[in-house]
């Protein structure tokens, strides 16, 4: 009689109660999108019209071979692999007609995993129990225990402590129309939470430390080559860090963790800061070859942006110090120092050749006037070039300070955004 339901009439409904206990979480594979869990499944039903007197027979329960007795064909819809758990060959039959069937099952089930908030992600994997053969008007499934009882029992008997922990279980009855009939299902939703401490220590903290070092490297002088060498070393170290930690990051085809986006953003900011440093060094060493900076750029950077980034504008001096040869000596020998203001004040001086028959003092003044006029013309040109170079250096200094504040702002905003996403 194992081929027929134990009911009086074929049209009667057989009620089967189901209970489940999670014994251990064996693993979650993000790449294969599957969950491996070890559960203990209990099924109970009544054989209609079967009973005996416990006092007369002397026992209240007997064991029967599963192969010689009818058992419901309950299966899990999310199964991806064959059950390799130990088989239990017996079921228990009580004197009241109640049949008790319990067995361990190693479940490898499909689970839609979302890793956007990795490593602080929470996953919801379902196990749907139902019959292959019987509609709900022939076999009705009901949950024998509540979700809270299942969760407490599962946490009590759990034998594993892996990367994932069970935080909640939900039980939902479900009826699904298939063709001309309706199937009855019981859906167990396992709420799993990842333990993030491994990834915080090995991924997040080292990345924050490297980005902080790159941020503090702005304290080095912008015109020094040491800053660019230091930033290159940091980028190399960050690249090696990402290559070593690549195995810890989950991989899926449709979803990208926000932590991966943060790593890419951090790497991009470090490269951008290196390019900015190279630009600053180039300006400091080659600004004498540049043309005069545009007026709008000078006004924008030196008058508007500089006060915003708390960089006071330096006052430029109009005095230039030059060296002149002493009388009666070549220019390559001893020299004296003279202070010159502008060549405009010397343009009206006499430029005629010096007459040696004049007063020696007056002749000396004439000679010095001619020499100073020629030197001032040359220095005027050099002064304009020096002023243009200084303007470019001031603009580069403002850009460097502005880049530092933008870098700091971007780091803070990206970290706060990650925390908000993880919190949600």
């Amino acid at each position: 009689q194992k081929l027929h339901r134990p009911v009086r009439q074929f049209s009667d409904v057989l009620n089967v109660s189901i209970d489940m206990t999670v014994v251990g979480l064996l693993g979650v594979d993000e790449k294969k999108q599957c969950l491996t869990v070890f559960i203990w499944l209990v099924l109970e039903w009544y054989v209609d019209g079967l009973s005996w007197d416990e006092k007369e027979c002397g026992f209240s329960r007997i064991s029967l071979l599963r192969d010689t007795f009818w058992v419901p064909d309950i299966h899990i819809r999310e199964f991806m692999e064959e059950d390799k758990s130990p088989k239990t060959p017996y079921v228990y039959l009580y004197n009241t007609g109640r049949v008790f069937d319990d067995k361990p099952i190693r479940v490898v089930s499909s689970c839609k995993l979302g890793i956007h908030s990795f490593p602080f992600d929470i996953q919801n994997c379902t196990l749907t129990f139902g019959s292959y053969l019987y509609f709900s008007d022939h076999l009705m499934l009901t949950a024998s225990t509540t979700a809270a009882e299942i969760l407490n029992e599962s946490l009590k008997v759990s034998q594993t402590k892996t990367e994932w922990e069970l935080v909640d279980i939900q039980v939902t009855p479900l009826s699904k129309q298939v063709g001309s009939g309706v199937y009855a299902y019981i859906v167990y939703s396992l709420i799993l939470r990842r333990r993030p401490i491994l990834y915080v220590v090995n991924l997040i903290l080292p990345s924050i430390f490297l980005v902080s070092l790159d941020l503090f490297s702005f304290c080095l002088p912008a015109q020094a080559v040491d800053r660019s060498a230091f930033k290159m070393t940091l980028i190399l170290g960050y690249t090696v860090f990402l290559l070593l930690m690549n195995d810890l990051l989950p991989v899926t085809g449709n979803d990208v963790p926000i932590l991966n986006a943060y790593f890419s953003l951090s790497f991009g900011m470090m490269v951008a800061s290196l390019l900015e440093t190279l630009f600053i060094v180039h300006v400091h060493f080659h600004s004498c070859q540049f043309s005069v900076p545009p007026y709008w750029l000078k006004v924008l950077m030196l008058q508007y942006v500089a006060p915003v980034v708390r960089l006071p504008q330096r006052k430029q001096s109009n005095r230039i110090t030059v060296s002149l040869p002493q009388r009666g000596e070549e220019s390559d020998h001893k020299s004296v120092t003279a202070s010159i203001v502008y060549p405009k004040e010397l343009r009206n001086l006499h430029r005629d050749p010096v007459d040696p028959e004049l007063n020696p003092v007056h002749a000396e003044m004439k000679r010095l006037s001619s020499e100073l006029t020629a030197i001032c013309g040359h220095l005027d040109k050099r002064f304009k070039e020096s002023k243009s170079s200084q303007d470019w250096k001031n603009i580069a200094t403002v850009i460097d300070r502005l880049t530092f504040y933008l870098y700091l702002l971007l780091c803070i905003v990206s970290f706060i955004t990650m925390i908000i996403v993880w919190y949600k």
Side-chain angles (χ1 to χ4, degrees), residues 4-30:
H4 302 284
R5 293 177 299 122
V7 292
R8 290 183 180 273
Q9 298 182 3
F10 188 75
S11 59
D12 292 345
V13 178
L14 178 64
N15 293 313
V16 177
S17 61
I18 183 172
D19 186 21
M20 181 195 73
T21 302
V22 179
V23 180
L25 296 172
L26 303 183
V28 176
D29 193 331
E30 294 89 354

Side-chain angles (χ1 to χ4, degrees), residues 354-367:
V354 179
D355 188 357
E357 296 181 357
L358 297 177
N359 189 357
V361 178
H362 185 67
E364 182 67 18
M365 293 298 295
K366 287 282 188 176
R367 188 185 67 80

Side-chain angles (χ1 to χ4, degrees), residues 77-89:
R77 293 181 58 187
E78 293 84 1
F79 250 132
M80 294 182 62
E81 293 183 7
E82 181 183 358
D83 180 22
K84 299 179 181 180
S85 58
K87 305 299 180 181
T88 55

Side-chain angles (χ1 to χ4, degrees), residues 18 24 53 60 64 81 83 85 99 118 123 129 175 187 201 217 235 260 275 301 303:
I18 183 172
D53 189 355
S60 62
L64 299 176
E81 293 183 7
D83 180 22
S85 58
V99 182
F118 170 87
Q123 307 295 342
F129 293 87
S175 297
V187 181
V201 173
S217 67
I235 291 178
N260 289 32
L275 294 177
M301 289 296 173
Q303 296 185 13

